[in-house]
Amino acid sequence: MTTFVDRVELHVAAGNGGHGCASVHREKFKPLGGPDGGNGGRGGDVTLVVDQSVTTLLDYHHHPHRKATNGQPGAGDNRSGKDGQDLVLPVPDGTVVYDKDGNVLADMVGHGTTYVAGEGGRGGLGNAALASARRKAPGFALLGEPGKGGDIVLELKTVADVALVGYPSAGKSSLISVLSAAKPKIADYPFTTLVPNLGVVTAGSTVYTIADVPGLIPGASQGRGLGLEFLRHVERCSVLVHVLDTATLESDRDPLTDLDVIEEELAQYGGLGDRPRVVVLNKVDIPDGQELADMIRPDLEARGYRVFEVSAVAHLGLKELSFALAEVVSKARAAKPKEESTRVVIRPRAVDDEGFTITEEDGVYRVRGEKPERWVRQTDFSNDEAVGYLADRLSRLGVEEKLMKAGARAGDAVAIGPEENAVVFDWEPTVMAGAEMLGRRGEDHRLDAPRPAATRRRDREAQRDDPQREYDEFNPF
């Protein structure tokens, strides 16, 4: 049964914004109470937060689909809809967030670090908020915007001070079990350790964390064994400790060759050349192991390595190793730049002067821009007055004027939005736009054919006001 997961694909969806309400105040003896439709609530965000109590991504492996709640629609009597509840997802320290193409979106290190993976949609405005001096009683409201989301990849890179690397069965798990309170699985067969193990070591006044990385073999950086799966857990470690087996039973292996192979794999993985190295010769409690350690120690020291002879089983040399690692870790921490308190940095989004662009693609004039696309998403196309309001907004923004300059003519196809989700209509240029063009509530006569009933009513009124008609009625002869 899987108990440790360090890479998952997560499908997140923020909440949709609630729709605005189109309502008219109704009260006895107040027939013209005015618009009182409330605004829709904002959709909930999906936020990732670093939590020190979380050590694995297992929960997201079993439940990869996460969605925040939607905002509630507005109601009459100026009642706004309730905002959707934000969804907070705890992740381990050291989690890196990628998009589907492998681009880094966030590197989450440090308790409390947050990243908004999905932004909730805005709530739509009710007709009370849309009322103006020219449009005193709007018969429409704006729709809520859909929440943002998509597929992201979470990858855990262990945050530790010391990483134990080496061949399978070199004794890394035994070493971390005696240096710290960690209790990894220990057995006499290769690849016993299938997941990284973390332990906390106290050496004097220095407290540091140590990680046991699953065994590496030749070709690990290309995917052989478990190396490629867990080499990323070495990236954040300040010190690398080579654990060499001096009592290996394999005739074709020796500690120096093992060291060269592991260093080659680390070099091919990249980014680890500046980390200080320490070599640990393990299993010196075995006579053959002590003899081999005495033989290779001068060669290792000639290469510039600090060498320690230990036995995890007999508890030999552990205290010296623990304090030596504490010294190296302290130097690495002192060399790091001092962390400053987090400051809020506001970076306005760069936009052009007009806020939109128009391009011609296969006879279709495509309008792209944050404002036009957002306005289209907010429009209820079943309401003619709402469509007229959209036309007014686009005209004031300058879309119609720019279409004319681009060569568009009446009847040409115009698309607003991306190709996969665009609103397409046949363009009809208008001479003027505004509230004075509106007809009855919920209608815009710029989009309608002439109304026969209204024409007949005007004709009757014209006949009623005709003086010749009144004279003929009173003088039939």
Side-chain angles (χ1 to χ4, degrees):
M1 181 178 178
T2 302
T3 58
F4 180 86
V5 174
D6 63 348
R7 182 182 176 86
V8 297
E9 183 174 352
L10 195 61
H11 313 281
V12 297
N16 300 328
H19 300 329
C21 176
S23 173
V24 176
H25 182 71
R26 290 176 174 85
E27 188 176 344
K28 193 174 182 180
F29 305 120
K30 291 184 179 180
L32 301 177
D36 67 348
N39 302 331
R42 179 189 61 85
D45 296 335
V46 179
T47 306
L48 306 179
V49 180
V50 173
D51 189 340
Q52 297 288 1
S53 63
V54 179
T55 59
T56 178
L57 301 174
L58 180 63
D59 189 30
Y60 307 120
H61 172 73
H62 294 302
H63 306 284
H65 296 272
R66 301 300 177 104
K67 187 181 187 307
T69 57
N70 299 329
Q72 297 299 314
D77 200 16
N78 293 304
R79 290 174 294 175
S80 297
K82 182 180 178 181
D83 291 342
Q85 186 175 0
D86 295 339
L87 179 62
V88 179
L89 304 177
V91 296
D93 191 6
T95 300
V96 183
V97 185
Y98 298 91
D99 61 12
K100 293 188 296 184
D101 300 325
N103 302 314
V104 177
L105 301 177
D107 191 354
M108 306 183 65
V109 178
H111 181 72
T113 304
T114 61
Y115 171 71
V116 179
E119 186 177 353
R122 301 182 185 181
L125 297 178
N127 64 342
L130 297 173
S132 64
R134 295 191 302 170
R135 182 181 276 105
K136 296 184 179 181
F140 66 99
L142 299 185
L143 303 179
E145 293 187 60
K148 298 180 180 179
D151 299 337
I152 58 176
V153 176
L154 304 183
E155 186 176 274
L156 175 60
K157 296 182 179 180
T158 303
V159 179
D161 297 304
V162 179
L164 303 180
V165 297
Y167 262 74
S169 299
K172 300 184 297 299
S173 298
S174 300
L175 188 59
I176 195 175
S177 67
V178 295
L179 287 175
S180 67
K183 301 299 179 184
K185 182 180 180 181
I186 301 173
D188 58 351
Y189 54 84
F191 298 109
T192 305
T193 303
L194 300 178
V195 299
N197 296 302
L198 278 177
V200 179
V201 181
T202 302
S205 59
T206 304
V207 179
Y208 58 92
T209 55
I210 187 169
D212 166 24
V213 179
L216 306 179
I217 61 174
S221 58
Q222 280 74 43
R224 291 193 61 194
L226 301 176
L228 182 62
E229 189 70 18
F230 296 108
L231 266 173
R232 57 175 166 268
H233 292 279
V234 185
E235 290 184 27
R236 301 189 189 278
C237 298
S238 303
V239 184
L240 299 181
V241 177
H242 286 280
V243 181
L244 303 181
D245 185 0
T246 60
T248 178
L249 299 178
E250 300 179 31
S251 58
D252 58 342
R253 283 180 50 199
D254 64 86
L256 291 179
T257 303
D258 292 353
L259 176 64
D260 295 337
V261 169
I262 299 303
E263 280 292 335
E264 178 64 22
E265 295 303 321
L266 295 176
Q268 292 185 15
Y269 186 78
L272 302 172
D274 59 338
R275 311 298 165 83
R277 263 77 162 170
V278 174
V279 174
V280 172
L281 300 178
N282 194 21
K283 304 180 183 179
V284 296
D285 57 314
I286 301 176
D288 293 342
Q290 183 63 60
E291 293 179 5
L292 184 57
D294 294 338
M295 293 174 55
I296 64 174
R297 180 168 186 147
D299 293 336
L300 294 172
E301 291 178 343
R303 298 186 184 186
Y305 293 111
R306 294 185 63 180
V307 182
F308 295 88
E309 299 178 6
V310 303
S311 171
V313 175
H315 290 211
L316 300 176
L318 299 179
K319 185 175 181 180
E320 294 81 358
L321 174 62
S322 176
F323 278 87
L325 292 179
E327 178 185 354
V328 179
V329 169
S330 299
K331 292 181 180 179
R333 290 175 179 174
K336 289 183 178 180
K338 185 177 180 180
E339 295 184 359
E340 299 181 356
S341 57
T342 303
R343 295 179 298 174
V344 178
V345 180
I346 300 177
R347 296 183 176 89
R349 190 178 305 173
V351 296
D352 55 13
D353 295 336
E354 295 178 322
F356 67 94
T357 58
I358 295 179
T359 57
E360 183 181 2
E361 303 174 3
D362 299 329
V364 178
Y365 292 87
R366 188 171 299 278
V367 181
R368 296 301 308 272
E370 181 182 357
K371 286 185 178 181
E373 293 181 30
R374 185 177 77 245
W375 294 345
V376 165
R377 292 193 298 267
Q378 294 175 330
T379 300
D380 179 10
F381 286 94
S382 64
N383 187 304
D384 292 343
E385 190 177 351
V387 177
Y389 179 68
L390 172 63
D392 292 343
R393 302 175 87 180
L394 294 176
S395 179
R396 287 194 299 268
L397 186 62
V399 174
E400 188 166 296
E401 181 180 356
K402 196 167 183 179
L403 281 172
M404 292 181 180
K405 292 181 180 179
R409 297 182 179 181
D412 287 348
V414 175
I416 301 179
E419 184 176 356
E420 63 275 6
N421 188 25
V423 174
V424 184
F425 58 92
D426 294 335
W427 182 52
E428 291 294 338
T430 59
V431 178
M432 58 188 302
E436 69 279 359
M437 298 289 292
L438 297 177
R440 299 185 304 179
R441 286 177 52 80
E443 294 184 0
D444 189 327
H445 71 261
R446 290 172 293 181
L447 305 173
D448 294 336
R451 300 199 306 257
T455 303
R456 290 194 298 269
R457 185 171 63 252
R458 286 194 296 268
D459 292 340
R460 288 197 299 269
E461 292 175 354
Q463 292 178 3
R464 190 181 305 116
D465 297 336
D466 186 6
Q468 182 63 36
R469 179 176 173 274
E470 295 179 0
Y471 177 82
D472 293 342
E473 289 180 352
F474 289 96
N475 298 276
F477 304 103

